[in-house]
């Protein structure tokens, strides 16, 4: 009887250990999900052949709310907001939610605080550590042209290479200027007296 009880206790302990591990994994997954932007598709057009990518330009209408439902901002009474993906013209979480959408699509994005306004918030409208919810309608999508891609990707690298070059040229000019000896007054008088 004691051996049976010990087997039963051992099996129960192993099951409880596995159950605890499973609960920890599920809780960790929920915590990670709360740290990432969650996007829910509200309306998707029948034809969605072109998805947005970094560098594309979107015109959107949005309504931003706190999690308690209080509206913090809306573009519905204004012209659509123009967002160039990758230029950080909007908060990071909203920009992330706009990658992979198509023209005419409506989404609801739940944005964690660290991808919104962080610990400081945006007083007095948005308190610190506030998660936000945005309902967004993509009015238009303009894809990045090859020329824009070159300007956005290559031009900054060229400029970055030019800065040290220009600094080096200025340094060389100043060095050569300082190295060239200026004749002092005594040497100039000596030269004049030798010429006479």
């Amino acid at each position: 009887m004691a051996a049976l009880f010990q087997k039963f206790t051992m099996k129960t302990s192993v099951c409880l250990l596995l159950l605890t591990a499973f609960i920890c994994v599920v809780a960790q997954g929920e915590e990670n999900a709360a740290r990432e932007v969650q996007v829910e598709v509200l309306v998707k057009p029948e034809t969605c052949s072109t998805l947005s990518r970094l560098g594309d330009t979107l015109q959107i209408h949005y309504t931003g709310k706190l999690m308690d439902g209080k509206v913090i901002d809306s573009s519905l009474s204004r012209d659509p907001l123009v967002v160039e993906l990758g230029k950080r013209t909007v908060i990071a979480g909203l920009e992330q939610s706009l990658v992979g959408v198509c023209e005419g699509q409506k989404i609801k994005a739940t944005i964690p605080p660290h991808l919104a306004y962080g610990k400081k918030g945006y007083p007095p409208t948005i308190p610190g550590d506030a998660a936000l919810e945005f309902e967004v309608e993509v009015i238009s999508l303009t894809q990045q042209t090859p020329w824009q891609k070159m300007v956005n990707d290559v031009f900054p690298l060229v400029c970055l290479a030019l800065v040290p070059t220009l600094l080096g040229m200025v340094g060389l000019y100043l060095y050569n200027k300082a190295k060239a000896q200026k004749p002092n007054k005594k040497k100039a008088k000596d030269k004049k007296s030798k010429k006479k």
Side-chain angles (χ1 to χ4, degrees), residues 20-138:
T20 304
F22 177 73
I23 290 171
C24 287
V25 167
V26 169
Q28 185 70 26
E30 288 175 1
E31 184 178 309
N32 285 344
R35 296 188 48 78
E36 297 175 7
V37 176
Q38 297 179 4
V39 179
E40 176 186 344
V41 176
L42 302 176
V43 175
K44 189 163 187 169
E46 289 179 23
T47 57
C48 185
S49 58
T50 306
L51 297 177
S52 62
R53 300 180 306 214
L54 288 178
D56 293 347
T57 302
L58 303 173
Q59 287 191 6
I60 63 169
H61 270 304
Y62 67 91
T63 300
K65 303 175 185 176
L66 296 173
M67 295 311 287
D68 64 5
K70 179 183 173 192
V71 175
I72 54 171
D73 192 18
S74 179
S75 70
L76 296 176
S77 62
R78 305 186 297 258
D79 289 337
L81 177 67
V82 177
V83 177
E84 189 173 341
L85 297 177
K87 294 287 185 174
R88 300 182 184 206
T89 55
V90 294
I91 58 174
L94 183 58
E95 188 173 64
Q96 284 179 19
S97 70
L98 293 173
V99 174
V101 297
C102 57
E103 192 171 313
Q105 187 169 344
K106 290 184 181 180
I107 61 169
K108 179 164 60 170
T110 304
I111 302 170
H114 71 282
L115 293 174
Y117 290 97
K119 293 182 186 294
K120 293 183 180 181
Y122 193 79
T125 312
I126 303 168
D129 279 332
L132 303 176
E133 186 176 272
F134 280 85
E135 289 186 18
V136 180
E137 178 182 6
V138 180

